[in-house]
Amino acid sequence: MDLKNITRRVAGAFIAAATTATLATGAFADGHGMDMSGKTVEWIIPFSETGGSAKWANFYAPLLSEALPGQPTVVVKFMPGAGSTKGANWFQKQKFEDSEGTVIFGSSGSTQFPYLLGDPRVRYEYGDWNVVLASGTGGVAYLPPELAKEMDGNDASALRDTDFIYGSQGATRLDLVPLLAWEMLGLNVEPVFGIKGRGDGRLMFERGEANIDYQTSSSYLKGVTPLVEEGTAVPMMSWGALDADGDIVRDPTFPDMPTFKEVCDATDGCESSGEKWEAWKAFFIAGFPAQKMVFLPAGASKDAIATYTKAFEKIKARDDFADISAKRLGKYPQMTGDKAAGALSSATEVPQEAKDFVIGWLKERYGVSLK
Amino acid sequence: MLATALPALSDAAALILQPMVLGYLILGVVMGLCIGVFPGLGGIAGLSLLLPFMFGMDPVLGLALMIGMVAVVPTSDTFASVLMGIPGSSASQATVLDGFPMAKKGEAARALSAAFASSLFGGLVGAAFLTVFILVARPIVLEFRTPELLMITIFGLSMVGILAGRVAIKGIVAAGLGMMIGTIGEGDSAGELRMATYDMPYLVDGLKLVIVGLGIFAIPEIIALLRQDRAISDRKPLGGGWMTGVRDWFANIWLSVRCSIIGVVVGVIPGLGGSVVDWIAYGHTVQTTKDKSKFGSGEVRGVIGPESSNNAKEGGGLVPTLLFGIPGSGSMAIFIGAIALLGSGDIEVGPSMLKNNLDITYAIVWLLALANVVGTLICIAASGGIARLTTIPFSLLAPFLFMIIAFAAFQSGQDIMDLVALFGIGLLGILMRRFDWSRPAFLIGFVLSNPAETYANQAVQIAASRFRKSFGEGIEYIFSPIVIVLIIITVISVVLGLRQAKTIMAEGAVESGAKRAPMVFLLAVLAYLLVAFIDAATIPDYASADRVFPRFVSGLAVIGCLILLAQMMMRPETHALFADREASDDSRHGLWSTLAWFAALLALTAVVGFVLALAVFLLTFIRFRAGRSWRFAILYTAAGIAFICAMAGVLNRDFPAGLLQDVAKLPWPLG
């Protein structure tokens, strides 16, 4: 892109913002998909500019702009606060008629967990929204080499007399999944709270202060793979991925790594069935295979849903999509249409027993009450 | 080592030295200058603006554009610090202390050019240092574990000693109050609420630095100048001032060298970044200056020190960003995200950066240096003209500043409560200024409150686990050689600082007045601290990690308050304890009537939304308070509204909405 082009696009964005504002009440074509030319789509991300959701949205935004009919400007707008519940509550109040498809919302696992755990700040209802894309991811736990050596194949029981330190963002966040998994294996993991992002957790591991850690797939590929090559970190297990039947199988991004299910099966005292396992699985599904989703607000027209679904399908059909998405997002399903709806329901319709178990466990183990 | 570095260096030079790349760099610099000039807007806002264009862009061109923008923010934010007494960003908090008094004395151009020369030099020293250091940085950075980070935070806090003012305990209480304001909201360790409830979601997230910085420094200064109703400087600007500034810098070049190195070194450490650098540099400057009497009333060394360090810090901040993939600041976080979008995503920030992309790494370092040169030259060229702003009657400048400040504050949380918080902290700032409580000490406390608490909790927890293994291992963890050195430096700095503090009036001399008003303010501070102490005490045992820090700090601050109270009862009212600016006041307007204008803008915003409120505010203020004609007022209002709308439009930001916007749907920018 040359210099002139940039100035033109900046100016264009400005003019577009001004004109959409004045023309927002104008009608658009009916029936045959929406024409969005000249409009500005605001993609609300309920986190700050610095997190994983920002990277995900920034990856998709320019592609979405090209794929939507009329090539509207797509801008990512950050609305951080209260661990994403602020932005989600705001989105719940949006009426489709007011924006007519120019406001979309990107949720994440951190939006799903407080919803599932009955956080008093949650005023939003996933059932009201219309999902148009669901992006999956995975996670990998890893150890320092001297501790990884103690594992007997997939049997982790030899690690039980080690004092583990783990840099954590908070027990009610996505960290719930690794913490519960390690506990099921009988490991004595003490979370050190107060870190600001998983990157800080990895740094703590690199400094030798933490001796167990986990990263989501893309951060693992970027930040931990070099450590593994250097020999200062060894992968322990992945959380796995879901197959079509809803069973946990090996993560396609890490086919050589055992899943937590395999490690659990090989370790005495850890069972991949029963209440605890079901609770872990439910929260894993809520947090990873459908971690990030794009929504249209309540009351969206069929037209708008179809337009966005088609646009995301068009992005997936790009020749270079496999290549560019594998680098930024990892090899995970990017689901649209019925698949996205299926992912949404498995992520948000968690059995009451699983919720009760986790709420009770959080209270008992970490003294966290969400009232 | 040299064998890998040299070819990479020449590769990097080949990457950078192309007309296209330099063109993009200059474009980035100009955009960065335009954004950085406004307080509260900095690298984050600017980079967000560029992000949509990064996808698939040629990596070197994209880097040139982004680095150009990021590099000049700590240079251009000096304008606000020096000319208006508003810290443009956390990097130039300390510049305000001497820069603004210089502007008041008519030496704005001198202060600016000294600052820019120092910035340039700092940026270059930073880049030179990095060129060598980056090859060996990784293992060194990994030596800075939690206890080391905690010690650096404490060292930063020890600068309170120097900035405490004439009554040391007052400074310590001010810092304690700042720390307590910093603990408001959800605790980092166990998520317990401190001085907040879920019924007020705004407080749960805590107060943002932008709001506290603007409230504690900017609002009191603006209100004070507005009450005097004259220009910032009542003297003619000194002719040819900018050459003097460059000469001042050259005369203090060794100070500049030392502060630049402080900047790089502190910047390298992930997790602390910019918030302490300028204070440490300022503290160092004061300690190494023989005649300390002029600090706070316009000592040029007080500008050179912090400004040398804050640009050098940007270079240092690249180390954690590039080598660990861990952003040293908010803008660096976006920078990392943007790099992933460049080209075909080949550049991976993180541990593999040195191995696979050493040429790009060096290109980044030297683009940074180059951007500093370009930015500084533009700024120095403009400083003579821009310094004339200080001669404009302040009643014309103030409404514009109120507009910018309210807009900037709103961007931090996009909540109407942002404006309420700004007003509240502003009021506190006004009173602290009036009674000569150290506002820098308060701000240091606020900024370092969170790192101090988090690192302390983490260090204790990890140390406990080490001690369980063996006593020796625990001791080794806590008292590493780096920690011991830092402890020694801190102790020396506190002792020297307290001894010298009496001669340093960080905010100018203040006369003493009657007993009653300072006492009432002290009692109000004491009351808040007591409430905070009791509030912290109610946190249950299982969440004790969120309780210890606020209890400890508020406990100390309460004791400090009680000592002050006892002293106040015994001392005569001429004592420095009873400092009160109102005692020797030459203002033309009352405090409350002036503040009411700002309050009215906020109240009206809550009803009809920001843009409509702004129109009414600008029009009536210019017509009635500034006493200009209707014609002038209308033109001023139109220009002001057009300006703010253009800025919000380009940056894609919203305005605060009021009740009106709840009932009626209005087109942007009104709705």
Side-chain angles (χ1 to χ4, degrees), chain A residues 160 176-187 248 260 264 268-284 350-351 353-362 364-365:
Chain A
R160 283 188 184 146
L176 188 159
V177 171
L179 285 171
L180 186 53
W182 291 325
E183 184 173 292
M184 287 166 72
L185 293 174
L187 305 189
I248 290 183
F260 167 54
C264 182
D268 246 7
C270 182
E271 278 171 43
S272 63
S273 62
E275 190 192 26
K276 227 176 180 177
W277 170 260
E278 291 304 326
W280 180 83
K281 191 176 163 191
F283 277 83
F284 160 68
V350 167
E353 306 87 73
K355 289 187 203 174
D356 291 344
F357 174 83
V358 167
I359 290 169
W361 176 71
L362 285 172
E364 185 197 328
R365 182 79 169 72

Coordinates of all heavy atoms in Angstrom, one line a residue, chain A residues 160 176-187 248 260 264 268-284 350-351 353-362 364-365:
Chain A
R160 N 3.7 -35.9 42.5 CA 2.8 -35.5 43.6 C 3.5 -34.9 44.8 O 2.9 -34.1 45.5 CB 1.9 -36.6 44.0 CG 0.8 -36.9 43.0 CD -0.2 -37.9 43.5 NE -1.1 -38.1 42.4 CZ -1.7 -39.2 42.2 NH1 -1.5 -40.3 42.9 NH2 -2.6 -39.3 41.2
L176 N -9.1 -21.6 35.6 CA -9.9 -22.6 36.2 C -9.6 -24.0 35.6 O -9.5 -25.0 36.3 CB -11.3 -22.2 36.1 CG -12.5 -22.9 36.8 CD1 -13.6 -22.0 36.8 CD2 -12.9 -24.2 36.1
V177 N -9.5 -24.0 34.3 CA -9.3 -25.3 33.6 C -8.0 -26.0 33.9 O -8.0 -27.1 34.4 CB -9.5 -25.1 32.1 CG1 -9.1 -26.3 31.3 CG2 -10.9 -24.7 31.7
P178 N -6.8 -25.3 33.8 CA -5.6 -26.0 34.2 C -5.6 -26.3 35.7 O -5.1 -27.4 36.1 CB -4.5 -25.0 33.9 CG -5.2 -23.7 33.6 CD -6.6 -24.0 33.1
L179 N -6.1 -25.3 36.6 CA -6.0 -25.6 38.0 C -6.8 -26.8 38.4 O -6.3 -27.7 39.2 CB -6.5 -24.4 38.8 CG -5.6 -23.1 38.8 CD1 -6.3 -21.9 39.4 CD2 -4.3 -23.5 39.6
L180 N -7.9 -27.0 37.8 CA -8.8 -28.1 38.1 C -8.1 -29.4 37.6 O -8.1 -30.5 38.3 CB -10.2 -28.0 37.6 CG -11.2 -29.0 37.9 CD1 -11.3 -29.2 39.5 CD2 -12.6 -28.6 37.4
A181 N -7.5 -29.3 36.4 CA -6.9 -30.5 35.8 C -5.7 -31.0 36.7 O -5.6 -32.2 37.0 CB -6.4 -30.1 34.4
W182 N -4.9 -30.0 37.1 CA -3.7 -30.4 37.9 C -4.2 -31.0 39.2 O -3.6 -31.9 39.8 CB -2.8 -29.2 38.1 CG -2.1 -28.8 36.9 CD1 -1.7 -29.6 35.9 CD2 -1.8 -27.5 36.5 NE1 -1.1 -28.8 34.9 CE2 -1.1 -27.5 35.2 CE3 -2.0 -26.2 37.1 CZ2 -0.7 -26.4 34.5 CZ3 -1.5 -25.1 36.4 CH2 -0.9 -25.2 35.1
E183 N -5.2 -30.4 39.8 CA -5.7 -31.0 41.0 C -6.2 -32.4 40.9 O -6.0 -33.3 41.7 CB -6.8 -30.1 41.6 CG -7.3 -30.6 43.0 CD -8.2 -29.7 43.7 OE1 -7.8 -28.6 44.1 OE2 -9.4 -30.1 43.8
M184 N -6.9 -32.6 39.7 CA -7.4 -34.0 39.5 C -6.3 -35.0 39.4 O -6.4 -36.2 39.8 CB -8.3 -34.0 38.2 CG -9.6 -33.4 38.4 SD -10.5 -33.0 36.9 CE -10.9 -34.7 36.4
L185 N -5.1 -34.5 38.9 CA -4.0 -35.4 38.8 C -3.3 -35.6 40.2 O -2.3 -36.3 40.3 CB -2.9 -34.9 37.8 CG -3.3 -34.9 36.4 CD1 -2.3 -34.1 35.5 CD2 -3.6 -36.3 35.8
G186 N -3.8 -34.9 41.2 CA -3.2 -35.0 42.5 C -2.0 -34.1 42.7 O -1.2 -34.3 43.7
L187 N -1.7 -33.2 41.8 CA -0.6 -32.3 41.9 C -0.9 -31.2 42.9 O -2.0 -30.7 43.0 CB -0.2 -31.7 40.6 CG 0.1 -32.6 39.4 CD1 0.7 -31.9 38.2 CD2 1.0 -33.8 39.8
I248 N -13.2 -36.0 23.6 CA -11.9 -35.3 23.6 C -10.9 -36.2 22.9 O -10.7 -37.4 23.2 CB -11.4 -35.0 25.0 CG1 -12.4 -33.9 25.6 CG2 -10.0 -34.5 25.0 CD1 -12.0 -33.4 26.9
F260 N -4.9 -34.3 28.2 CA -5.1 -34.4 29.6 C -5.9 -35.7 29.9 O -5.6 -36.4 30.9 CB -5.9 -33.2 30.2 CG -6.4 -33.4 31.5 CD1 -5.6 -33.7 32.6 CD2 -7.8 -33.1 31.8 CE1 -6.1 -33.9 33.9 CE2 -8.3 -33.3 33.1 CZ -7.4 -33.7 34.1
C264 N -4.6 -38.4 32.5 CA -5.5 -38.7 33.6 C -5.8 -40.2 33.7 O -5.7 -40.8 34.8 CB -6.8 -37.9 33.4 SG -8.0 -38.1 34.8
D268 N -2.8 -42.8 38.5 CA -3.7 -43.4 39.5 C -4.5 -42.3 40.3 O -3.9 -41.3 40.6 CB -2.7 -44.1 40.6 CG -2.9 -45.6 40.6 OD1 -3.7 -46.0 39.7 OD2 -2.4 -46.3 41.4
G269 N -5.7 -42.6 40.5 CA -6.5 -41.7 41.3 C -7.2 -40.6 40.5 O -7.9 -39.8 41.0
C270 N -6.9 -40.5 39.2 CA -7.5 -39.5 38.3 C -8.5 -40.3 37.4 O -8.0 -41.3 36.8 CB -6.5 -38.8 37.5 SG -7.2 -37.5 36.5
E271 N -9.7 -39.9 37.4 CA -10.7 -40.6 36.6 C -11.3 -39.8 35.5 O -11.7 -38.7 35.8 CB -11.8 -41.2 37.5 CG -11.4 -42.5 38.2 CD -12.4 -42.9 39.2 OE1 -13.6 -42.7 38.9 OE2 -12.0 -43.2 40.3
S272 N -11.3 -40.3 34.3 CA -11.9 -39.5 33.2 C -13.4 -39.9 33.1 O -13.9 -40.2 32.0 CB -11.2 -39.8 31.9 OG -11.3 -41.1 31.5
S273 N -14.1 -39.9 34.2 CA -15.5 -40.0 34.3 C -16.0 -39.5 35.6 O -15.1 -39.2 36.5 CB -15.9 -41.5 34.1 OG -15.4 -42.2 35.2
G274 N -17.3 -39.4 35.8 CA -17.8 -38.9 37.1 C -17.9 -37.4 37.1 O -17.6 -36.7 36.2
E275 N -18.3 -36.9 38.3 CA -18.7 -35.6 38.5 C -17.6 -34.6 38.2 O -17.8 -33.6 37.4 CB -19.2 -35.4 39.9 CG -19.9 -34.1 40.2 CD -20.0 -33.9 41.7 OE1 -19.2 -34.5 42.5 OE2 -20.9 -33.1 42.1
K276 N -16.4 -34.9 38.8 CA -15.3 -33.9 38.6 C -14.9 -33.8 37.1 O -14.7 -32.7 36.6 CB -14.1 -34.5 39.4 CG -13.5 -33.4 40.3 CD -12.4 -34.1 41.2 CE -11.7 -33.0 42.0 NZ -10.7 -33.6 42.9
W277 N -14.8 -35.0 36.5 CA -14.4 -35.0 35.1 C -15.4 -34.3 34.2 O -15.0 -33.5 33.4 CB -14.2 -36.4 34.6 CG -14.1 -36.5 33.1 CD1 -15.0 -36.8 32.2 CD2 -12.9 -36.2 32.4 NE1 -14.5 -36.7 30.9 CE2 -13.2 -36.4 31.0 CE3 -11.6 -35.8 32.7 CZ2 -12.3 -36.1 30.0 CZ3 -10.7 -35.6 31.7 CH2 -11.0 -35.7 30.3
E278 N -16.7 -34.5 34.5 CA -17.7 -33.9 33.7 C -17.6 -32.3 33.9 O -17.8 -31.6 32.9 CB -19.1 -34.4 34.1 CG -19.4 -35.8 33.6 CD -19.2 -36.1 32.2 OE1 -19.5 -35.2 31.4 OE2 -18.7 -37.2 31.8
A279 N -17.4 -31.9 35.1 CA -17.3 -30.5 35.4 C -16.1 -29.9 34.6 O -16.2 -28.9 33.9 CB -17.1 -30.2 36.8
W280 N -15.0 -30.6 34.7 CA -13.8 -30.1 34.0 C -14.1 -30.0 32.5 O -13.8 -29.0 31.8 CB -12.6 -31.0 34.2 CG -11.3 -30.5 33.5 CD1 -10.5 -29.6 33.9 CD2 -10.9 -30.9 32.2 NE1 -9.5 -29.3 33.0 CE2 -9.8 -30.1 31.9 CE3 -11.4 -31.7 31.2 CZ2 -9.1 -30.1 30.7 CZ3 -10.7 -31.8 30.0 CH2 -9.5 -31.0 29.7
K281 N -14.7 -31.1 31.9 CA -14.9 -31.1 30.5 C -15.8 -30.0 30.1 O -15.6 -29.3 29.1 CB -15.5 -32.5 30.1 CG -15.5 -32.7 28.6 CD -16.0 -34.1 28.3 CE -16.4 -34.2 26.9 NZ -17.2 -35.4 26.6
A282 N -16.9 -29.8 30.9 CA -17.8 -28.7 30.6 C -17.2 -27.4 30.5 O -17.4 -26.6 29.6 CB -19.0 -28.7 31.6
F283 N -16.3 -27.1 31.5 CA -15.6 -25.8 31.5 C -14.5 -25.7 30.4 O -14.3 -24.7 29.9 CB -15.1 -25.4 32.9 CG -16.2 -24.9 33.7 CD1 -17.1 -25.7 34.4 CD2 -16.4 -23.5 33.7 CE1 -18.2 -25.1 35.1 CE2 -17.5 -22.9 34.5 CZ -18.3 -23.8 35.1
F284 N -13.9 -26.8 30.1 CA -13.0 -26.9 29.0 C -13.7 -26.5 27.7 O -13.2 -25.7 26.9 CB -12.3 -28.2 28.9 CG -11.7 -28.5 27.5 CD1 -10.6 -27.8 27.1 CD2 -12.3 -29.4 26.7 CE1 -10.0 -28.1 25.9 CE2 -11.7 -29.7 25.4 CZ -10.6 -29.0 25.0
V350 N -24.2 -25.4 30.0 CA -23.4 -26.3 30.8 C -24.4 -26.9 31.9 O -25.2 -26.2 32.4 CB -22.3 -25.6 31.5 CG1 -21.7 -26.4 32.6 CG2 -21.2 -25.2 30.5
P351 N -24.3 -28.3 32.1 CA -25.2 -28.9 33.0 C -25.1 -28.2 34.4 O -24.0 -27.9 34.8 CB -24.8 -30.3 33.1 CG -23.8 -30.5 32.0 CD -23.4 -29.2 31.4
E353 N -25.2 -29.4 37.3 CA -24.3 -30.2 38.2 C -22.8 -29.7 38.1 O -22.1 -29.5 39.1 CB -24.3 -31.7 38.0 CG -25.7 -32.3 38.1 CD -26.3 -32.3 36.7 OE1 -25.9 -33.1 35.8 OE2 -27.3 -31.5 36.5
A354 N -22.4 -29.5 36.8 CA -21.1 -29.0 36.6 C -20.8 -27.7 37.2 O -19.8 -27.4 37.8 CB -20.8 -29.0 35.1
K355 N -21.8 -26.8 36.9 CA -21.7 -25.4 37.5 C -21.6 -25.5 39.0 O -20.7 -24.9 39.6 CB -22.9 -24.6 37.1 CG -23.0 -24.2 35.7 CD -24.2 -23.2 35.5 CE -24.7 -23.2 34.1 NZ -25.9 -22.4 33.9
D356 N -22.5 -26.3 39.6 CA -22.6 -26.3 41.1 C -21.2 -26.9 41.6 O -20.7 -26.4 42.6 CB -23.7 -27.2 41.5 CG -25.1 -26.6 41.3 OD1 -25.1 -25.4 41.0 OD2 -26.1 -27.3 41.3
F357 N -20.7 -27.9 40.9 CA -19.5 -28.5 41.4 C -18.4 -27.4 41.4 O -17.6 -27.3 42.4 CB -19.0 -29.7 40.5 CG -17.7 -30.2 40.9 CD1 -17.6 -31.1 41.9 CD2 -16.6 -29.7 40.2 CE1 -16.3 -31.5 42.3 CE2 -15.3 -30.2 40.6 CZ -15.2 -31.1 41.7
V358 N -18.2 -26.7 40.3 CA -17.1 -25.7 40.1 C -17.3 -24.6 41.1 O -16.3 -24.2 41.8 CB -17.0 -25.2 38.7 CG1 -16.1 -24.0 38.6 CG2 -16.5 -26.3 37.8
I359 N -18.6 -24.1 41.3 CA -18.8 -23.1 42.3 C -18.4 -23.5 43.7 O -17.7 -22.8 44.4 CB -20.3 -22.6 42.2 CG1 -20.5 -21.9 40.9 CG2 -20.6 -21.7 43.4 CD1 -22.0 -21.6 40.6
G360 N -18.8 -24.7 44.0 CA -18.4 -25.3 45.3 C -16.9 -25.5 45.5 O -16.3 -25.1 46.5
W361 N -16.3 -25.9 44.4 CA -14.8 -26.2 44.4 C -14.1 -24.8 44.6 O -13.1 -24.7 45.4 CB -14.4 -26.9 43.1 CG -12.9 -27.0 43.0 CD1 -12.2 -27.9 43.7 CD2 -12.1 -26.4 42.1 NE1 -10.9 -27.8 43.2 CE2 -10.8 -26.9 42.2 CE3 -12.3 -25.4 41.1 CZ2 -9.7 -26.4 41.5 CZ3 -11.2 -24.9 40.3 CH2 -9.9 -25.4 40.6
L362 N -14.5 -23.8 43.9 CA -13.9 -22.5 44.0 C -14.0 -22.0 45.4 O -13.0 -21.4 45.9 CB -14.5 -21.5 43.0 CG -14.2 -21.6 41.5 CD1 -15.0 -20.7 40.7 CD2 -12.7 -21.3 41.3
E364 N -14.5 -23.7 48.2 CA -13.8 -24.5 49.2 C -12.3 -24.4 49.0 O -11.5 -24.2 50.0 CB -14.2 -26.0 48.9 CG -13.6 -27.0 49.9 CD -13.8 -28.4 49.3 OE1 -14.8 -28.6 48.6 OE2 -12.9 -29.2 49.6
R365 N -11.8 -24.4 47.8 CA -10.4 -24.4 47.5 C -9.7 -23.0 47.6 O -8.6 -22.8 48.1 CB -10.1 -25.0 46.1 CG -8.7 -25.2 45.7 CD -8.1 -26.4 46.4 NE -6.8 -26.7 45.8 CZ -5.7 -25.9 46.0 NH1 -5.7 -24.9 46.8 NH2 -4.5 -26.2 45.4

